[in-house]
Amino acid sequence: SLLARCSPMQIYSYIDEATGLLRAGAMDPFHEVKALACETMIAFCHNHTEMLLHFAEPLGRSLTSCLTHNHARIRIAALRALTAILWCGVWKHNHEVIQMLMAWQDPNKASIKAFYEPVTNVNYMSTLSFDRHPAVRRFWFETLAYWLLRVPDKVDHEPYIFPYLLSGLCDENEDIALEVFWLIERCGELYETEKEEDLRKTKQYGFDYGWTYGGRGCIPFPLQATWAGGRGIGHVRRSAAQGPDFMGAKELGEHSLRDSLAATGAAQDLGEE
């Protein structure tokens, strides 16, 4: 209420005190105060994005108690506030917020406190990926996809975020797992749009990707837009790389032979007899 009554000039003059009020509210033990602080932080970040560049990390750290709160709505409100904070620290402090969420620590650095007593770091990303409430898990994976699709400096965070988004494919709730699958498809469509020129050259010249080991590797489930909804897979489509030298036809034949032998349970004749 105090921040809502302040004029923009007053906010600019007392930006340290304003962010301190928001951080104190987010760390308050009462859940209603936490919920109000998260909503106020969202509006504050959207209205004063340019002024909060160097306050992104402190604001993000103040939300850690909300991310582990017993109430699901508080955890969801904290995720919404995190998204608003990431728009404030673009290309500057966002990587520090992401590393804090995943408990990343530089192996060449140690805090002074660690020399005298044990220090515990919580991986909040892992905690949210296996949250006990399905609504929180669904919103968490949607938030990860939003960061990968909309945040301007997403290229700096992809190596950290994608493993947690991929873990959603193994969610115990089949609806959430299916939604994560299509969110990953959407991320792939954005990648094809941004890297259209490079991908066009690769396809036109028939180069095999490095992970295929010269065309000998196949694409496993759940790629190739195949989804089983979390149940057992009856069969997996396999295809070898098709390069300009047409060497993929031999590999495709070997794959077909292996699949037919696996289906019938027969042993392959290796010419011993």
Side-chain angles (χ1 to χ4, degrees):
S1 300
L2 176 62
L3 294 178
R5 294 194 299 267
C6 294
S7 64
M9 292 304 300
Q10 291 174 327
I11 293 293
Y12 299 154
S13 301
Y14 298 96
I15 189 68
D16 291 330
E17 290 76 6
T19 55
L21 285 174
L22 293 174
R23 294 169 56 197
M27 293 183 288
D28 194 274
F30 188 51
H31 65 277
E32 292 295 341
V33 176
K34 285 181 176 292
L36 180 60
C38 290
E39 294 297 330
T40 307
M41 191 179 296
I42 293 172
F44 191 80
C45 290
H46 285 311
N47 293 326
H48 307 286
T49 304
E50 296 80 5
M51 295 292 297
L52 299 176
L53 175 63
H54 299 288
F55 296 93
E57 184 185 4
L59 288 174
R61 289 186 179 277
S62 66
L63 293 172
T64 54
S65 61
C66 298
L67 295 175
T68 56
H69 198 269
N70 289 331
H71 294 180
R73 69 185 187 94
I74 301 297
R75 300 197 293 273
I76 292 177
L79 290 176
R80 295 179 57 230
L82 269 177
T83 301
I85 290 172
L86 289 181
W87 283 97
C88 300
V90 174
W91 301 114
K92 188 68 175 181
H93 296 288
N94 279 355
H95 69 284
E96 299 174 358
V97 177
I98 298 297
Q99 291 175 356
M100 178 269 298
L101 291 176
M102 62 177 301
W104 184 87
Q105 184 177 359
D106 190 342
N108 298 319
K109 295 182 180 180
S111 61
I112 298 177
K113 180 181 178 181
F115 289 98
Y116 301 97
E117 59 184 47
V119 177
T120 302
N121 295 324
V122 180
N123 189 336
Y124 298 98
M125 284 190 169
S126 178
T127 302
L128 292 168
S129 299
F130 299 96
D131 193 273
R132 60 184 178 274
H133 201 291
V136 177
R137 296 201 306 272
R138 179 188 294 271
F139 192 81
W140 165 242
F141 292 126
E142 292 174 353
T143 302
L144 292 179
Y146 180 86
W147 294 350
L148 292 171
L149 294 172
R150 299 297 178 84
V151 176
D153 59 344
K154 59 181 179 295
V155 293
D156 293 340
H157 317 313
E158 289 176 352
Y160 303 105
I161 296 177
F162 256 114
Y164 295 96
L165 185 61
L166 289 172
S167 66
L169 294 172
C170 304
D171 194 277
E172 59 183 8
N173 189 314
E174 294 184 0
D175 294 334
I176 296 178
L178 181 59
E179 181 179 1
V180 171
F181 174 78
W182 290 113
L183 289 174
I184 295 176
E185 287 282 322
R186 182 65 184 87
C187 293
E189 293 176 1
L190 178 63
Y191 179 82
E192 291 179 348
T193 303
E194 295 178 344
K195 307 291 184 179
E196 180 180 1
E197 183 177 354
D198 297 336
L199 293 175
R200 186 186 300 114
K201 291 181 179 179
T202 302
K203 290 184 178 181
Q204 288 178 347
Y205 291 105
F207 291 136
D208 295 322
Y209 291 100
W211 59 268
T212 62
Y213 294 97
R216 297 189 298 274
C218 61
I219 302 178
F221 169 84
L223 304 180
Q224 294 184 332
T226 304
W227 175 250
R231 294 181 293 272
I233 309 166
H235 67 283
V236 179
R237 293 182 298 168
R238 297 185 175 92
S239 60
Q242 299 289 338
D245 52 359
F246 300 102
M247 290 298 293
K250 179 180 178 181
E251 298 289 339
L252 186 61
E254 294 181 356
H255 281 260
S256 302
L257 177 61
R258 183 185 61 187
D259 294 343
S260 60
L261 291 174
T264 58
Q268 185 176 1
D269 185 10
L270 300 179
E272 293 90 344
E273 297 181 358

